[in-house]
Short mmCIF file of all heavy atoms in Angstrom, two decimals:
data_model
loop_
_atom_site.label_atom_id
_atom_site.label_comp_id
_atom_site.label_asym_id
_atom_site.label_seq_id
_atom_site.Cartn_x
_atom_site.Cartn_y
_atom_site.Cartn_z
N ASN X 1 22.38 -3.83 -13.37
CA ASN X 1 22.30 -2.78 -12.20
C ASN X 1 21.33 -1.71 -12.37
O ASN X 1 21.06 -0.92 -11.56
CB ASN X 1 23.71 -2.12 -12.06
CG ASN X 1 24.79 -3.18 -11.62
OD1 ASN X 1 24.46 -4.14 -10.99
ND2 ASN X 1 26.04 -2.84 -11.95
N GLY X 2 20.68 -1.69 -13.57
CA GLY X 2 19.65 -0.71 -13.86
C GLY X 2 19.98 0.68 -14.05
O GLY X 2 19.28 1.56 -13.85
N CYS X 3 21.20 0.93 -14.33
CA CYS X 3 21.77 2.25 -14.52
C CYS X 3 21.42 2.83 -15.99
O CYS X 3 21.72 2.22 -16.94
CB CYS X 3 23.36 2.33 -14.37
SG CYS X 3 23.99 3.88 -14.59
N SER X 4 20.71 3.87 -15.94
CA SER X 4 20.45 4.57 -17.19
C SER X 4 21.64 5.29 -17.71
O SER X 4 22.60 5.27 -17.00
CB SER X 4 19.20 5.54 -17.00
OG SER X 4 19.75 6.57 -16.16
N GLU X 5 21.57 5.93 -18.84
CA GLU X 5 22.62 6.78 -19.37
C GLU X 5 23.20 7.70 -18.34
O GLU X 5 24.34 8.09 -18.31
CB GLU X 5 22.27 7.28 -20.71
CG GLU X 5 22.23 6.38 -21.81
CD GLU X 5 23.54 5.63 -22.09
OE1 GLU X 5 24.45 6.07 -22.11
OE2 GLU X 5 23.38 4.28 -22.25
N THR X 6 22.30 8.34 -17.51
CA THR X 6 22.66 9.39 -16.54
C THR X 6 22.98 8.74 -15.26
O THR X 6 23.29 9.41 -14.27
CB THR X 6 21.55 10.50 -16.46
OG1 THR X 6 20.35 9.86 -16.04
CG2 THR X 6 21.34 11.19 -17.85
N CYS X 7 22.61 7.48 -15.01
CA CYS X 7 22.70 6.86 -13.72
C CYS X 7 22.01 7.65 -12.63
O CYS X 7 22.56 7.98 -11.63
CB CYS X 7 24.18 6.67 -13.37
SG CYS X 7 25.03 5.42 -14.34
N THR X 8 20.82 7.93 -12.84
CA THR X 8 19.93 8.59 -11.95
C THR X 8 18.95 7.58 -11.26
O THR X 8 18.51 6.75 -11.90
CB THR X 8 19.01 9.58 -12.68
OG1 THR X 8 19.94 10.55 -13.46
CG2 THR X 8 18.29 10.47 -11.72
N ALA X 9 18.81 7.77 -10.10
CA ALA X 9 17.93 6.82 -9.26
C ALA X 9 16.50 6.88 -9.70
O ALA X 9 16.06 7.97 -10.22
CB ALA X 9 17.89 7.30 -7.78
N LYS X 10 15.86 5.73 -9.72
CA LYS X 10 14.49 5.62 -10.17
C LYS X 10 13.66 5.29 -8.96
O LYS X 10 14.09 4.54 -8.12
CB LYS X 10 14.41 4.51 -11.18
CG LYS X 10 15.30 4.66 -12.39
CD LYS X 10 14.44 4.66 -13.61
CE LYS X 10 15.33 4.73 -14.86
NZ LYS X 10 16.43 5.71 -14.94
N ASN X 11 12.53 5.91 -8.90
CA ASN X 11 11.63 5.71 -7.65
C ASN X 11 10.55 4.75 -8.02
O ASN X 11 9.86 4.86 -9.02
CB ASN X 11 11.02 7.06 -7.22
CG ASN X 11 10.60 6.97 -5.78
OD1 ASN X 11 10.42 6.00 -5.21
ND2 ASN X 11 10.36 8.13 -5.22
N ARG X 12 10.35 3.76 -7.16
CA ARG X 12 9.22 2.78 -7.40
C ARG X 12 7.97 3.15 -6.72
O ARG X 12 6.94 2.58 -7.03
CB ARG X 12 9.73 1.41 -6.94
CG ARG X 12 10.83 0.80 -7.80
CD ARG X 12 11.39 -0.39 -7.22
NE ARG X 12 12.60 -0.84 -7.95
CZ ARG X 12 13.74 -0.52 -7.77
NH1 ARG X 12 14.08 0.28 -6.80
NH2 ARG X 12 14.75 -0.98 -8.41
N SER X 13 7.97 4.04 -5.69
CA SER X 13 6.75 4.41 -5.00
C SER X 13 5.94 5.42 -5.87
O SER X 13 6.46 6.40 -6.34
CB SER X 13 7.07 5.15 -3.81
OG SER X 13 5.95 5.53 -3.09
N LYS X 14 4.66 5.18 -5.99
CA LYS X 14 3.83 6.01 -6.83
C LYS X 14 2.82 6.70 -6.04
O LYS X 14 2.16 7.68 -6.46
CB LYS X 14 3.13 5.02 -7.86
CG LYS X 14 3.92 4.37 -8.80
CD LYS X 14 4.83 5.29 -9.68
CE LYS X 14 5.72 4.57 -10.65
NZ LYS X 14 6.72 5.26 -11.26
N GLU X 15 2.53 6.37 -4.82
CA GLU X 15 1.52 7.03 -3.93
C GLU X 15 2.13 8.36 -3.48
O GLU X 15 3.12 8.33 -2.69
CB GLU X 15 1.16 6.05 -2.78
CG GLU X 15 0.12 6.70 -1.94
CD GLU X 15 -0.15 5.75 -0.69
OE1 GLU X 15 0.31 4.80 -0.59
OE2 GLU X 15 -0.86 6.36 0.13
N MET X 16 1.45 9.37 -3.76
CA MET X 16 1.95 10.76 -3.49
C MET X 16 1.16 11.23 -2.17
O MET X 16 0.19 11.89 -2.24
CB MET X 16 1.76 11.70 -4.53
CG MET X 16 2.55 12.91 -4.41
SD MET X 16 2.47 14.16 -5.74
CE MET X 16 2.95 13.01 -7.14
N ALA X 17 1.79 10.75 -0.99
CA ALA X 17 1.11 11.17 0.26
C ALA X 17 2.13 11.25 1.23
O ALA X 17 3.07 10.31 1.36
CB ALA X 17 0.02 10.09 0.64
N CYS X 18 2.13 12.24 2.09
CA CYS X 18 3.15 12.49 3.19
C CYS X 18 2.73 11.53 4.37
O CYS X 18 1.57 11.48 4.64
CB CYS X 18 3.18 13.89 3.62
SG CYS X 18 4.40 14.23 4.95
N LYS X 19 3.71 10.82 4.84
CA LYS X 19 3.42 9.85 5.97
C LYS X 19 3.56 10.53 7.39
O LYS X 19 3.58 9.76 8.30
CB LYS X 19 4.32 8.68 5.79
CG LYS X 19 3.87 7.92 4.45
CD LYS X 19 5.00 7.04 4.06
CE LYS X 19 4.67 6.24 2.75
NZ LYS X 19 4.44 7.06 1.65
N LEU X 20 3.78 11.67 7.45
CA LEU X 20 3.97 12.41 8.83
C LEU X 20 2.64 12.73 9.28
O LEU X 20 1.76 13.23 8.44
CB LEU X 20 4.88 13.62 8.73
CG LEU X 20 6.32 13.36 8.45
CD1 LEU X 20 7.13 14.69 8.43
CD2 LEU X 20 6.98 12.58 9.64
N THR X 21 2.44 12.75 10.57
CA THR X 21 1.22 13.23 11.10
C THR X 21 1.31 14.86 11.02
O THR X 21 2.29 15.36 10.82
CB THR X 21 1.09 12.87 12.54
OG1 THR X 21 2.12 13.37 13.45
CG2 THR X 21 1.02 11.33 12.73
N THR X 22 0.20 15.49 11.18
CA THR X 22 -0.04 16.96 11.09
C THR X 22 0.98 17.58 12.05
O THR X 22 1.71 18.56 11.57
CB THR X 22 -1.41 17.34 11.34
OG1 THR X 22 -2.18 16.64 10.35
CG2 THR X 22 -1.56 18.85 11.09
N PRO X 23 1.04 17.28 13.35
CA PRO X 23 1.97 17.96 14.17
C PRO X 23 3.54 17.76 13.77
O PRO X 23 4.32 18.70 13.84
CB PRO X 23 1.79 17.37 15.56
CG PRO X 23 0.46 16.75 15.50
CD PRO X 23 0.18 16.34 14.11
N GLN X 24 3.81 16.54 13.31
CA GLN X 24 5.17 16.25 12.85
C GLN X 24 5.43 17.17 11.64
O GLN X 24 6.55 17.83 11.57
CB GLN X 24 5.34 14.87 12.48
CG GLN X 24 5.38 13.90 13.49
CD GLN X 24 5.34 12.45 13.12
OE1 GLN X 24 4.60 12.09 12.27
NE2 GLN X 24 6.26 11.67 13.78
N LEU X 25 4.58 17.27 10.70
CA LEU X 25 4.82 18.06 9.48
C LEU X 25 4.91 19.47 9.86
O LEU X 25 5.82 20.17 9.37
CB LEU X 25 3.60 17.85 8.44
CG LEU X 25 3.71 18.46 7.12
CD1 LEU X 25 4.95 18.14 6.49
CD2 LEU X 25 2.58 18.28 6.32
N ARG X 26 4.08 20.06 10.73
CA ARG X 26 4.14 21.44 11.16
C ARG X 26 5.47 21.68 11.76
O ARG X 26 6.13 22.65 11.47
CB ARG X 26 3.02 21.75 12.06
CG ARG X 26 2.86 23.15 12.44
CD ARG X 26 1.64 23.52 13.25
NE ARG X 26 1.23 22.61 14.27
CZ ARG X 26 0.15 21.81 14.16
NH1 ARG X 26 -0.65 21.93 13.09
NH2 ARG X 26 -0.07 20.89 15.18
N GLN X 27 6.09 20.76 12.61
CA GLN X 27 7.30 20.94 13.26
C GLN X 27 8.39 21.05 12.22
O GLN X 27 9.29 21.76 12.26
CB GLN X 27 7.60 19.86 14.29
CG GLN X 27 8.86 20.11 15.00
CD GLN X 27 9.19 19.07 16.04
OE1 GLN X 27 8.44 18.04 16.13
NE2 GLN X 27 10.30 19.20 16.80
N ARG X 28 8.32 20.11 11.14
CA ARG X 28 9.38 20.06 10.11
C ARG X 28 9.42 21.34 9.40
O ARG X 28 10.45 21.92 9.04
CB ARG X 28 9.07 18.95 9.22
CG ARG X 28 9.88 17.67 9.58
CD ARG X 28 9.55 16.53 8.55
NE ARG X 28 10.25 16.76 7.23
CZ ARG X 28 11.56 16.82 7.05
NH1 ARG X 28 12.35 16.74 7.99
NH2 ARG X 28 12.03 17.03 5.84
N LYS X 29 8.24 21.86 9.05
CA LYS X 29 8.10 23.09 8.34
C LYS X 29 8.74 24.32 9.08
O LYS X 29 9.29 25.15 8.48
CB LYS X 29 6.67 23.41 7.93
CG LYS X 29 6.14 22.65 6.81
CD LYS X 29 4.62 23.01 6.41
CE LYS X 29 4.21 22.23 5.19
NZ LYS X 29 2.95 22.58 4.80
N GLU X 30 8.58 24.28 10.34
CA GLU X 30 9.05 25.36 11.22
C GLU X 30 10.56 25.25 11.48
O GLU X 30 11.23 26.28 11.79
CB GLU X 30 8.28 25.33 12.54
CG GLU X 30 6.82 25.69 12.49
CD GLU X 30 6.01 25.51 13.73
OE1 GLU X 30 6.65 25.02 14.77
OE2 GLU X 30 4.92 25.79 13.74
N THR X 31 11.16 24.07 11.28
CA THR X 31 12.53 23.98 11.48
C THR X 31 13.35 23.64 10.31
O THR X 31 13.97 24.58 9.75
CB THR X 31 12.77 22.88 12.60
OG1 THR X 31 12.17 21.63 12.15
CG2 THR X 31 12.13 23.15 14.03
N VAL X 32 13.39 22.42 9.91
CA VAL X 32 14.35 22.06 8.84
C VAL X 32 13.96 22.80 7.46
O VAL X 32 14.93 23.36 6.89
CB VAL X 32 14.25 20.51 8.62
CG1 VAL X 32 15.10 20.12 7.42
CG2 VAL X 32 14.66 19.81 9.86
N ILE X 33 12.76 22.71 7.13
CA ILE X 33 12.28 23.26 5.76
C ILE X 33 12.46 24.86 5.88
O ILE X 33 12.94 25.41 4.92
CB ILE X 33 10.96 22.84 5.45
CG1 ILE X 33 10.93 21.32 5.25
CG2 ILE X 33 10.41 23.59 4.24
CD1 ILE X 33 9.53 20.68 4.92
#
């Protein structure tokens, strides 16, 4: 099952880039964040 001693999720994605467009990101920053 791949559970470490702490059973913490592991991430397979290595590319560090936001996939939202600029207007979407701006709206998220103004509301949720």
Side-chain angles (χ1 to χ4, degrees):
N1 293 335
C3 179
S4 65
E5 288 301 314
T6 60
C7 291
T8 304
K10 305 236 182 317
N11 201 344
R12 291 175 185 87
S13 179
K14 300 295 180 194
E15 183 185 352
M16 197 172 308
C18 185
K19 292 162 184 61
L20 287 179
T21 63
T22 304
Q24 288 173 315
L25 182 57
R26 188 170 38 250
Q27 183 181 6
R28 270 186 66 68
K29 284 184 178 180
E30 293 171 0
T31 57
V32 178
I33 296 173

